Amino acid sequence: MDSFPSFLTSSTTLVFLLLLLFSPCNAAKHGTFGHHRRPRSASHNYRDALTKSIMFFEGQRSGKLPPNQRISWRKDSGLSDGAAAHVDLVGGYYDAGDNVKFGFPMAFTTTMLSWSVIEFGGLMKGELQNAKQAIRWATDYLLKATAHPDTIYVQVGDATKDHACWERPEDMDTPRTVIKIDKNTPGTEVAAETAAALAAASLVFRKSDPTYSKLLARRAIRVFEFADKHRGAYSIGLRPYVCPYYCDFSGYQDELLWGAAWLHKATRNPTYLSYIQANGNTLGADESDNTFGWDNKHVGARILLSKAFLVQNVQPLHDYKSHADNFICSLIPGTPSSTAQYTPGGLLFKMNDSNMQYVTSTSFLLVTYAKYLTQSLKVVNCGGAIITPKKLRTFAKKQVDYLLGDNPMKMSFMVGYGPRYPLRIHHRGSSLPSVSSHPAKIQCSSGFSIYNSQSPNPNILIGAIVGGPDQNDRFPDQRSDYEQSEPATYINAPLVGSLAYFAHSFGQL
Ligand SMILES: *[C@@H]1O[C@H](CO)[C@@H](O)[C@H](O)[C@H]1NC(C)=O
């Protein structure tokens, strides 16, 4: 908010414009005049949205909160997590509006936050430290969850009992059941995603904390080996615990490819390149599959592996440029192979439940692929239609702008951003009075009178992005509507990267 052109006072704007008159190249590069002419792009404060998108993670924290906790209506919770299995599993994140710690989406969230920092951390300025803190809050936990070889603690909390209550995390009294995978009960999807998260985060901390980075990388290697060697779906072995919440529908092949891709990037060990070459065809999905979210990482792996070819010139991975192109072509409306659905207002629409996660994750892939294409002076050819990096960024920006308020409802889907945003989000802590304002315990079922009321949530979960509008751009803003009104860590994580790009590109696409 400090140095963004639209916030300059009129006298400094004058000086600014005079300076630009004498540096035309600079003006063209940053598109500053265009920015001032276009009220649409000036109407969004991407920096403010970036700050808030990261702050949200503090509201999802489990464990002992630090003195610099900014979302201050949240207090310590889950301080005995892990005790049921005689291990320390304090910390980490609640995935969404409940009080369970689900390892699978937590790991994916960590991977995407890390990828955001790897690609766009250089543009995050004052927010870089906060983004790294958000990652470390997860990796400190994932290190605890993977402390014992050939074992990963993949969940804390009995999801069914938790979901039968509407209570604050600070009050929760449902069983903190500890769920693990091991050689006898493997969970390749969750193990490989955890390896991806650790590997990606090791790159984030490589320069600023080399010791921590090495610890993360070593653990990633061990966890990936376990994932690959003991194959089996946790969605089968642990079905009663993890389904229907984070049951993996896409199989574990996508996580193996994705995990290997991250390990290749983090370790530069040729083993992983050989692994990708040997298994890429069996692990890759059919090319029409363009859904990217906590369950399915096929297209994420394609874009990530395309970087190795495009930017780092890893020739054996040259096929991933066309794999990535096929994903792009399936997405862009009006090209021959386009299959994606959009709402009348222009929002990518994949699913009724938590659709916005596909919007944020897909937009991230578009901005990221545009970066790789720009670096390698390439474009995408969709059956004769040439798609430039600029077109990809314009497309991603339209999705992000819709999310921030340019939509038929004329509202932002990020809590606390803009003049109108969701008031009754499906989130226990946000909807119940805070511990400071109401110190007495609120029992399991007592919370439902508030759940069923029309009153706005008393605690603003700054930066939370909800599931979003339906296929006709409608949003009822009802607390009971978890499909549309629940926030989740994996909705926010990829948006952190896109917002960093748009916040500091000064309207340049
Ligand atoms: C999504 O919602 C629409 C409209 O309510 C409904 O017709 C459709 O069956 C839903 N789709 C799924 C997969 O639930």
Side-chain angles (χ1 to χ4, degrees):
M1 270 180 274
D2 38 18
S3 65
F4 201 61
S6 51
F7 293 90
L8 295 173
T9 63
S10 53
S11 62
T12 43
T13 306
L14 188 64
V15 174
F16 189 60
L17 292 175
L18 282 171
L19 281 171
L20 286 172
L21 271 179
F22 293 101
S23 55
C25 297
N26 218 22
K29 187 173 167 222
H30 294 297
T32 312
F33 289 117
H35 175 84
H36 277 278
R37 268 203 310 269
R38 286 199 323 262
R40 259 292 195 249
S41 80
S43 73
H44 284 300
N45 186 341
Y46 300 109
R47 276 195 176 194
D48 181 41
L50 173 65
T51 300
K52 288 170 176 167
S53 71
I54 300 170
M55 202 183 294
F56 157 74
F57 289 92
E58 295 193 13
Q60 297 301 111
R61 283 174 170 174
S62 181
K64 177 111 190 94
L65 303 184
N68 64 359
Q69 168 81 11
R70 292 176 295 171
I71 295 195
S72 55
W73 49 266
R74 278 294 328 282
K75 304 292 176 203
D76 299 349
S77 62
L79 295 181
S80 318
D81 279 2
H86 310 290
V87 287
D88 172 13
L89 293 173
V90 176
Y93 289 116
Y94 303 118
D95 66 305
D98 55 88
N99 303 326
V100 180
K101 296 195 297 204
F102 291 102
F104 190 39
M106 202 197 305
F108 177 65
T109 297
T110 311
T111 313
M112 292 312 295
L113 270 177
S114 299
W115 200 0
S116 290
V117 169
I118 290 164
E119 300 296 345
F120 303 109
L123 303 174
M124 287 181 188
K125 311 278 157 91
E127 288 303 327
L128 180 59
Q129 279 316 313
N130 290 324
K132 286 164 89 171
Q133 270 307 316
I135 294 167
R136 201 184 269 257
W137 194 268
T139 46
D140 283 350
Y141 177 82
L142 293 177
L143 286 170
K144 291 179 178 183
T146 56
H148 304 290
D150 296 338
T151 300
I152 305 178
Y153 296 97
V154 295
Q155 186 173 318
V156 180
D158 180 319
T160 306
K161 292 201 168 108
D162 176 276
H163 283 62
C165 293
W166 194 259
E167 58 185 356
R168 304 176 294 199
E170 296 84 357
D171 282 343
M172 68 188 163
D173 46 10
T174 55
R176 299 303 283 170
T177 312
V178 174
I179 316 287
K180 67 172 179 179
I181 56 168
D182 56 23
K183 289 176 186 171
N184 301 320
T185 314
T188 301
E189 65 284 76
V190 59
E193 183 62 61
T194 304
L198 294 165
S202 79
L203 290 162
V204 169
F205 295 103
R206 182 166 275 179
K207 287 209 180 82
S208 56
D209 191 342
T211 310
Y212 192 63
S213 171
K214 283 191 191 105
L215 173 64
L216 293 169
R218 276 198 309 271
R219 191 63 60 82
I221 293 166
R222 189 173 90 190
V223 170
F224 185 78
E225 198 181 315
F226 166 68
D228 187 44
K229 200 160 135 196
H230 302 284
R231 293 199 188 185
Y234 94 142
S235 296
I236 294 171
L238 295 171
R239 185 162 204 94
Y241 305 102
V242 302
C243 299
Y245 307 97
Y246 291 100
C247 206
D248 184 289
F249 297 98
S250 71
Y252 53 70
Q253 289 79 6
D254 53 326
E255 279 86 13
L256 282 175
L257 186 62
W258 171 244
W262 277 109
L263 275 148
H264 167 65
K265 197 168 160 54
T267 68
R268 297 264 155 243
N269 187 319
T271 320
Y272 298 106
L273 183 57
S274 312
Y275 183 95
I276 293 160
Q277 284 181 272
N279 300 298
N281 286 338
T282 41
L283 298 177
D286 83 83
E287 300 278 306
S288 63
D289 181 351
N290 65 5
T291 303
F292 183 46
W294 63 261
D295 180 358
N296 190 335
K297 289 96 190 191
H298 282 297
V299 292
R302 283 182 216 153
I303 297 286
L304 182 64
L305 289 168
S306 79
K307 182 184 193 176
F309 168 66
L310 288 171
V311 182
Q312 281 122 9
N313 201 26
V314 180
Q315 289 300 323
L317 297 177
H318 65 271
D319 282 353
Y320 285 93
K321 162 79 166 65
S322 48
H323 291 322
D325 287 356
N326 289 343
F327 161 62
I328 297 297
C329 296
S330 77
L331 213 58
I332 305 290
T335 65
S337 49
S338 167
T339 57
Q341 302 293 310
Y342 293 86
T343 67
L347 188 72
L348 175 68
F349 196 83
K350 302 291 296 184
M351 281 176 217
N352 289 345
D353 189 2
S354 191
N355 182 64
M356 206 58 100
Q357 71 177 295
Y358 306 106
V359 174
T360 59
S361 58
T362 304
S363 302
F364 175 82
L365 292 184
L366 294 176
V367 178
T368 300
Y369 196 49
K371 183 183 165 187
Y372 303 162
L373 292 171
T374 302
Q375 286 173 331
S376 58
L377 305 172
K378 295 260 179 4
V379 294
V380 180
N381 185 335
C382 297
I386 300 300
I387 310 295
T388 61
K390 182 176 174 175
K391 177 145 190 179
L392 294 183
R393 292 186 192 108
T394 306
F395 189 81
K397 186 168 178 289
K398 206 176 147 213
Q399 297 297 312
V400 172
D401 286 351
Y402 181 114
L403 188 157
L404 294 177
D406 294 354
N407 57 61
M409 296 287 294
K410 303 210 180 329
M411 69 183 290
S412 146
F413 292 96
M414 178 189 283
V415 173
Y417 176 87
R420 250 190 103 207
Y421 52 80
L423 299 176
R424 287 176 283 271
I425 66 169
H426 182 97
H427 190 279
R428 287 160 177 76
S430 168
S431 68
L432 294 164
S434 69
V435 175
S436 318
S437 72
H438 187 289
K441 179 166 172 155
I442 302 170
Q443 303 283 349
C444 165
S445 44
S446 313
F448 283 106
S449 59
I450 287 174
Y451 173 86
N452 290 317
S453 83
Q454 285 297 313
S455 55
N457 288 8
N459 309 308
I460 311 298
L461 184 54
I462 297 276
I465 301 160
V466 295
D470 68 10
Q471 58 193 3
N472 292 308
D473 302 295
R474 290 172 306 208
F475 183 76
D477 196 10
Q478 287 299 315
R479 199 174 286 119
S480 57
D481 181 359
Y482 64 87
E483 292 197 335
Q484 292 184 248
S485 290
E486 188 168 16
T489 56
Y490 43 86
I491 305 180
N492 274 57
L495 191 68
V496 169
S498 310
L499 287 174
Y501 179 77
F502 292 123
H504 294 285
S505 63
F506 294 96
Q508 185 206 15
L509 297 167

